[in-house]
Amino acid sequence: MSVRNPGTKLDLEWIAKVKVNTQAVLKRAQHVQGQKTPKKQWQAAWLLKAVTCIDLTTLAGDDTPSNIHRLCLKAIQPVRYDLLKKMDMHDKGITTAAVCVYPSRVADAIKLLNAANSSLPVASVATGFPTGQTPLETRLQEVHMAVADGATEIDIVINRMLVLTGQWEALYDEICQFRQACSDAHMKTILAIGELGTFTNVYKASMVAMMAGSDFIKTSTGKEVVNATYPVAIVMMRAIRNYFLCTGHKVGFKPAGGIRTAQESLVWLTLIKEELGNDWLCPHLFRLGASSLLADIERSTIM
């Protein structure tokens, strides 16, 4: 992972002046969807790159230790051995970037990964996922518990009410407290973009989250009606780029929710390359939140 973001002082005056050109964003997104992605001999390499950036996720109400067991085994060996051997990639240690589970299942994942001698990171959602509507003390305790059980990455979710009512200082303060609770664990801040109302709110929330010390900003919980979309991703990536230009610190990006096809993963990689550059084309700075993407990538690799 990247070096932990220490955060910066909140600049409320600057946040208040932010405006996003909606038509320009939509035009750029339309161009992204229509452009070509890698083909033929290059496609397999790009798809394997996508695999290494996946946070393989299960966040279901019926999660059990056996489900987590299967998830971890798939994360350790995400692509069939015969397919990797055909590409001469069977000995390159191809795994997903992490597994992502509820706090109550972190210990199960750690136990299985340790038994398999795997150093794969375990990420856990926290802070009242997916709505962020539980009391602050409860949300902080959830982070502490996940970290104590061995999670090295925490996907927090913001209280959307603070964005919708323009309480940027309160949002900053909450995220700073989550940052402290995460300790050495890396913090991915979920904005739940489908519930923020406007592109301007998305940009402001992105900036506040980064100023408060987020290592990643993430589009969605996957539980909203609207999840990862290209227009919102462009807004968030521009915020990441501007934050980097102002501070010299690179913050990661994670789209999540509804990403199911190999073709979509190629579009996301292309967008990252064009908006943020090659440095972001790695699991340290780019993750795909997905639970069913791997199966389609395997099918595409076969073909």
Side-chain angles (χ1 to χ4, degrees), residues 72-176:
C72 291
L73 291 179
K74 186 63 176 174
I76 293 169
Q77 181 71 63
V79 181
R80 278 174 23 205
Y81 181 83
D82 62 309
L83 296 179
L84 291 175
K85 190 170 179 60
K86 183 178 178 181
M87 294 180 280
D88 197 27
M89 294 294 290
H90 59 288
D91 57 351
K92 299 299 189 291
I94 299 292
T95 69
T96 65
V99 294
C100 184
V101 298
Y102 277 118
S104 59
R105 301 270 70 89
V106 168
D108 295 329
I110 294 291
K111 181 179 179 181
L112 185 282
L113 292 170
N114 285 342
N117 293 318
S118 172
S119 59
L120 199 69
V122 174
S124 180
V125 297
T127 68
F129 181 94
T131 63
Q133 291 295 316
T134 53
L136 178 58
E137 184 178 348
T138 302
R139 284 179 278 155
L140 288 168
Q141 186 61 28
E142 196 172 23
V143 176
H144 286 300
M145 292 174 65
V147 171
D149 279 347
T152 55
E153 301 178 13
I154 304 293
D155 288 29
I156 69 161
V157 60
I158 66 169
N159 182 345
R160 276 77 100 187
M161 181 272 291
L162 298 177
V163 174
L164 295 172
T165 55
Q167 297 183 63
W168 302 111
E169 190 168 9
L171 178 65
Y172 175 83
D173 288 343
E174 280 203 0
I175 298 174
C176 283

Side-chain angles (χ1 to χ4, degrees), residues 219-238:
T219 60
S220 322
T221 68
K223 307 294 185 181
E224 294 87 51
V225 175
V226 177
N227 294 293
T229 67
Y230 300 128
V232 167
I234 290 165
V235 172
M236 293 174 68
M237 289 181 197
R238 297 285 172 89

Side-chain angles (χ1 to χ4, degrees), residues 18-28 199-200 235 238:
V18 169
K19 293 288 186 295
V20 174
N21 185 331
T22 298
Q23 291 306 312
V25 170
L26 295 176
K27 184 176 180 180
R28 170 69 175 123
F199 288 153
T200 298
V235 172
R238 297 285 172 89

